[in-house]
Amino acid sequence: MAEQPTRRRAWDLPRDLTPEQRRSRRTWIEHYLVELDRRYRSLDEGAPADYIPALALADPSLFGVAVLGQQGQHLRCGDADVEFTIQSISKVVLYGLALETWGRDVVHERAGVEPSGDRFNAITFDDDDNRAFNPMVNAGALAITDLLEGDTVDERLQAMLDAFERYLGHPVEVDQTVYRSELETAHRNRAITHLLVSRGIVSDRVEEIVELYTMQCSIVVTATDLATIAATLANAGVNPVTGEQALAAWAVRDVLSVMLTCGMYDYSGEWVYRVGLPAKSGVGGGVLAVLPGIGGLGVYSPPLDKFGTSVRGVKVCEDLAEELGMHLFEPSPPWTREP
Ligand code: GLN
């Protein structure tokens, strides 16, 4: 029989902690965030997105990690309160809103729940069912954005901003510089939307769909905000700080399932294997991961890998899953073991 792989353990808690502190999840996570900062701050891999000109200006040294626990307690490290644009992580919020507003059947007629195996902006469709593969790739997200309710762009934008506010507990705004920069160069998303129209999947308001989608991607957040969205999803849709129900519990289950299988695009299989947490990345450098039963994690660091995901963000999630035992199928997290 092959030997059990030895658990990587490149760090430990300080020696002077009481047994009670050693059994506390908070103590472990608090010390671990500092350790992650020490480990990855100097990492020099990847590059900020440049296909959206305004994103290329991001400082590659920025690195922030935030955790929000289910009792509403925040832990932060580094640049956790630096603002950036949410980009594709917004797809999580819009998918939930569409499910809640229209129900599963209407939503799934537009976007299924199958990983595409392709890049986030691939021009591919599920031909068998004439829909986008899933709501996490651009084709699916554009089809979902078209489901925003309202008679005017302003009303539909407001419905979107209100949904974000329910998750975050504070008003949000669209970064106009990033918005304009992306809209001017959004030829690929426009092409995808035209194809969605030609297939009869979305309404023919092409420019309005691309505008609203680009606005949702340009919403300003911090790593702390991402941790709040993730913690809300970990908490059956209730924001642990404000107590507000941001999303119905049944829809949370759907959103987390799709995040787990499709959230990291064509890295999703590897992601489930290595990290085992529902997650979503954005080309602004943000990553959020849901820690079921514990809370939410948000990471910000602009340099991206070839999948369009933050390099430090992936490292943080991989290490956390492995060393703190956060993988969904992990049998024994460290704080449950004898000190
Ligand atoms: N706004 C970006 C785009 O459509 C979002 C992509 C992403 O974050 N993966 O290209």
Side-chain angles (χ1 to χ4, degrees):
M1 213 189 346
E3 265 188 30
Q4 188 182 327
T6 43
R7 180 174 286 282
R8 206 152 29 93
R9 185 69 177 273
W11 73 293
D12 209 348
L13 291 174
R15 288 173 183 279
D16 53 358
L17 297 178
T18 64
E20 197 184 327
Q21 282 172 320
R22 286 182 170 269
R23 276 193 297 272
S24 140
R25 209 154 59 186
R26 187 185 166 94
T27 309
W28 279 83
I29 296 174
E30 207 162 31
H31 286 273
Y32 197 59
L33 295 191
V34 177
E35 164 64 17
L36 289 171
D37 191 77
R38 185 197 63 73
R39 215 178 268 180
Y40 293 123
R41 187 159 279 280
S42 58
L43 182 71
D44 184 23
E45 278 173 32
D50 58 5
Y51 76 100
I52 300 172
L55 295 186
L57 305 173
D59 174 355
S61 71
L62 290 171
F63 180 34
V65 187
V67 172
L68 176 60
Q70 263 173 332
Q71 273 76 44
Q73 67 283 37
H74 275 290
L75 298 171
R76 296 186 187 86
C77 196
D79 304 309
D81 291 313
V82 170
E83 294 183 334
F84 57 97
T85 53
I86 190 165
Q87 299 299 333
S88 279
I89 301 169
S90 63
K91 294 167 179 171
V92 167
V93 174
L94 272 282
Y95 179 48
L97 178 63
L99 283 170
E100 214 174 40
T101 311
W102 298 95
R104 280 184 184 141
D105 292 347
V106 171
V107 174
H108 290 168
E109 242 173 63
R110 293 180 172 226
V113 293
E114 211 56 60
S116 67
D118 285 317
R119 293 286 139 100
F120 65 86
N121 57 1
I123 304 189
T124 51
F125 300 90
D126 172 356
D127 289 321
D128 289 339
D129 292 306
N130 189 40
R131 60 185 177 183
F133 277 104
N134 66 69
M136 301 291 126
V137 291
N138 288 13
L142 287 156
I144 299 297
T145 297
D146 186 43
L147 288 173
L148 276 169
E149 277 194 310
D151 293 331
T152 62
V153 183
D154 283 348
E155 276 180 30
R156 300 174 83 200
L157 171 63
Q158 198 54 52
M160 174 206 297
L161 297 177
D162 289 348
F164 279 90
E165 185 168 344
R166 284 194 291 277
Y167 280 89
L168 293 178
H170 63 75
V172 293
E173 56 183 48
V174 172
D175 181 317
Q176 292 299 325
T177 307
V178 173
Y179 169 64
R180 287 208 197 90
S181 173
E182 178 164 2
L183 194 65
E184 278 165 19
T185 53
H187 307 300
R188 202 175 172 96
N189 286 336
R190 236 172 241 117
I192 293 172
T193 310
H194 276 291
L195 289 171
L196 288 166
V197 176
S198 79
R199 286 171 167 265
I201 300 172
V202 297
S203 71
D204 64 1
R205 300 171 286 189
V206 172
E207 205 48 38
E208 191 168 323
I209 295 172
V210 175
E211 278 174 23
L212 284 166
Y213 169 79
T214 309
M215 285 180 204
Q216 80 184 50
C217 290
S218 305
I219 285 176
V220 177
V221 288
T222 63
T224 303
D225 288 332
L226 296 185
T228 308
I229 297 174
T232 301
L233 292 169
N235 195 32
V238 178
N239 176 315
V241 179
T242 63
E244 186 169 4
Q245 184 89 43
L247 183 64
W250 69 266
V252 171
R253 197 193 78 169
D254 289 15
V255 170
L256 291 181
S257 305
V258 173
M259 285 169 70
L260 185 64
T261 52
C262 309
M264 303 310 247
Y265 314 119
D266 42 339
Y267 189 66
S268 291
E270 190 88 18
W271 181 267
V272 177
Y273 182 77
R274 286 174 185 270
V275 180
L277 295 170
K280 187 75 204 76
S281 65
V283 292
V287 178
L288 67 73
V290 177
L291 314 170
I294 295 177
L297 169 76
V299 186
Y300 170 52
S301 171
L304 309 179
D305 62 18
K306 65 176 179 183
F307 302 104
T309 299
S310 166
V311 174
R312 290 192 189 98
V314 172
K315 294 273 186 212
V316 164
C317 293
E318 284 183 354
D319 288 11
L320 190 109
E322 174 68 23
E323 294 174 353
L324 287 195
M326 294 278 178
H327 192 293
L328 279 180
F329 307 126
E330 169 64 43
S332 74
W335 49 78
T336 62
R337 295 176 214 141
E338 278 309 304

